């Protein structure tokens, strides 16, 4: 049986453990220039973590940290005994989730980058954009992976704009967070001609829709789909967005195809709806690029 205390006992000192702000169940993805299109999940308690790649499996770690850095010492897997060193920072607190960034060197390598921004160019370090559910929300990520427990996601003032920016043009990557969500990446490319192409990364082809925005409401009228019955029907919903450290950040809660829009983000979490946390590269970022995730018709 795996004994999580083995490394601290061997080294003879008490670990600083996980920053309080990072305790909980997180879901996200890599966003550096040479990113892999895939969901990554982190479950952290006060001293240990489980890291899961949806396509590559699970590993267990012991955690040490400072106010700006976090170190994951692997207890199993190919990297067992080595340490992954990272910078971390909270990004934003939204209606339903809180976001954070981690920039990590490969296992066994010291931190050579000076900041999270330095890691965005790729070619070595990886940058994870992650979200966890706020404690005052019905949002629940505990089914995404084996949880470490002690999931104390503190509430914080809501940081998202009440009104939404109506220019969504760009490549957006994200995850579904409604009840019954699938662990997978979803990509949306909003075009300047008022159309959007979107798909799950495992889909062979994209759905195409005409986009109508109106002060925080959104309608996606399907014009092309693998399922011919979807054409002519609409997804109706709500959205809000803001800009963070490296990325733009958007909530989008859509009702079922042909159904009504959710009244708010909490009801958007109900099974049958589709609620997404999405990121696009910030206009102010000189190194972020999501071109690998661009969706074409």
């Amino acid at each position: 049986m795996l004994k999580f205390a083995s490394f601290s006992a061997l080294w003879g000192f008490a670990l600083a453990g996980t920053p309080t702000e990072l305790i909980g169940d997180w879901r996200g993805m890599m966003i550096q220039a040479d990113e892999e299109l895939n969901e990554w999940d982190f479950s952290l308690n006060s001293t240990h973590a489980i890291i899961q790649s949806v396509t590559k499996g699970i590993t267990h770690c012991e955690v040490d940290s400072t106010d700006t850095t976090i170190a994951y010492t692997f207890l199993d897997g190919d990297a067992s005994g080595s340490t992954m060193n990272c910078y971390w920072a909270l990004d934003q607190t939204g209606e339903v989730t809180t976001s954070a960034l981690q920039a990590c060197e490969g296992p066994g390598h010291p931190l050579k980058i000076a900041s999270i921004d330095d890691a965005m160019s790729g070619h070595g370090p990886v940058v994870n954009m992650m979200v966890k559910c706020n404690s005052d929300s019905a949002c629940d990520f505990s089914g995404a992976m084996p949880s470490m427990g002690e999931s104390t996601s503190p509430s914080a003032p809501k940081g998202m704009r009440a009104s939404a920016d109506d220019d969504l043009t760009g490549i957006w990557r994200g995850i579904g967070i409604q009840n019954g969500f699938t662990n997978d990446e979803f990509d949306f490319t909003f075009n300047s001609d008022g159309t959007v192409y979107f798909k799950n990364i495992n889909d062979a082809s994209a759905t195409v829709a005409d986009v109508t925005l109106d002060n925080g409401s959104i309608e996606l009228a399907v014009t092309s789909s693998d399922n011919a019955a979807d054409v002519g029907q609409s997804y109706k919903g709500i959205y809000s967005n803001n800009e963070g450290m490296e990325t733009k950040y958007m909530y989008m809660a859509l009702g079922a195809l042909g159904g009504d829009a959710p009244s708010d983000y909490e009801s958007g979490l109900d099974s049958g709806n589709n609620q997404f946390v999405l990121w696009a590269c910030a206009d102010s970022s000189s190194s972020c690029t999501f071109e690998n995730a661009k969706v074409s018709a």
Side-chain angles (χ1 to χ4, degrees):
M1 179 179 293
L2 191 63
K3 296 183 178 179
F4 288 123
S6 58
F7 273 69
S8 57
L10 177 64
W11 295 334
F13 62 86
L15 294 176
T18 304
T20 301
E21 299 93 329
L22 293 185
I23 292 174
D25 298 323
W26 297 81
R27 300 173 57 212
M29 61 192 64
M30 296 179 184
I31 63 168
Q32 76 281 356
D34 53 353
E35 83 280 356
E36 172 189 359
L37 303 186
N38 184 22
E39 179 178 329
W40 285 81
D41 302 324
F42 290 74
S43 181
L44 297 99
N45 67 15
S46 56
T47 57
H48 291 84
I50 297 173
I51 302 174
Q52 171 180 267
S53 160
V54 169
T55 60
K56 297 180 180 178
I58 292 173
T59 189
H60 299 79
C61 306
E62 196 162 46
V63 179
D64 196 6
S65 69
T66 70
D67 289 343
T68 58
T69 65
I70 186 166
Y72 298 92
T73 298
F74 293 94
L75 303 179
D76 52 18
D78 294 340
S80 181
S82 62
T83 299
M84 180 172 69
N85 294 290
C86 312
Y87 287 108
W88 70 274
L90 291 183
D91 194 31
Q92 295 191 57
T93 297
E95 298 287 338
V96 177
T97 60
T98 294
S99 64
L101 284 161
Q102 286 190 133
C104 303
E105 299 281 4
H109 295 279
L111 278 172
K112 299 175 184 177
I113 52 175
S115 66
I116 291 174
D117 186 64
D118 286 347
M120 289 298 297
S121 60
H123 312 297
V126 299
V127 182
N128 288 295
M129 174 64 82
M130 314 182 298
V131 291
K132 69 175 176 179
C133 298
N134 296 336
S135 61
D136 58 353
S137 168
C139 173
D140 182 8
F141 288 173
S142 61
M145 61 185 299
S147 176
M148 291 299 299
E150 300 179 36
S151 182
T152 56
S153 306
S155 300
K158 301 297 187 285
M160 300 292 288
R161 283 196 287 251
S163 60
D165 187 339
D166 62 2
D167 182 8
L168 301 183
T169 304
I171 302 167
W172 294 81
R173 303 172 55 207
I175 55 174
I177 65 170
Q178 73 280 355
N179 293 329
F181 61 80
T182 299
N183 286 49
D184 254 331
E185 178 175 333
F186 292 83
D187 298 329
F188 291 74
T189 297
F190 286 87
N191 303 298
S192 58
D193 64 359
T195 61
V196 62
Y197 305 154
F198 59 96
K199 69 184 189 74
N200 178 297
I201 59 170
N202 295 311
D203 292 341
S205 60
T207 296
V208 182
D210 291 329
V211 182
T212 301
L213 305 175
D214 182 14
N215 194 29
S217 67
I218 185 169
E219 181 175 351
L220 308 182
V222 177
T223 59
S224 176
S225 173
D226 282 345
N227 186 354
D230 293 351
V231 176
Q233 300 193 75
S234 293
Y235 293 100
K236 297 178 181 179
I238 55 176
Y239 76 101
S240 56
N241 55 349
N242 206 340
E243 188 162 319
M245 296 170 60
E246 293 287 347
T247 61
K248 301 175 185 178
Y249 180 92
M250 176 167 62
Y251 282 128
M252 183 169 62
L254 304 174
L257 184 64
D260 294 331
S263 58
D264 54 34
Y265 292 111
E266 285 297 319
S267 61
L269 294 169
D270 293 344
S271 181
N273 291 328
N274 299 279
Q275 184 159 182
F276 300 95
V277 178
L278 298 164
W279 298 276
C281 292
D283 296 335
S284 59
S285 177
S286 60
S287 50
C288 178
T289 175
F290 284 175
E291 284 298 318
N292 289 349
K294 185 174 182 177
V295 184
S296 301

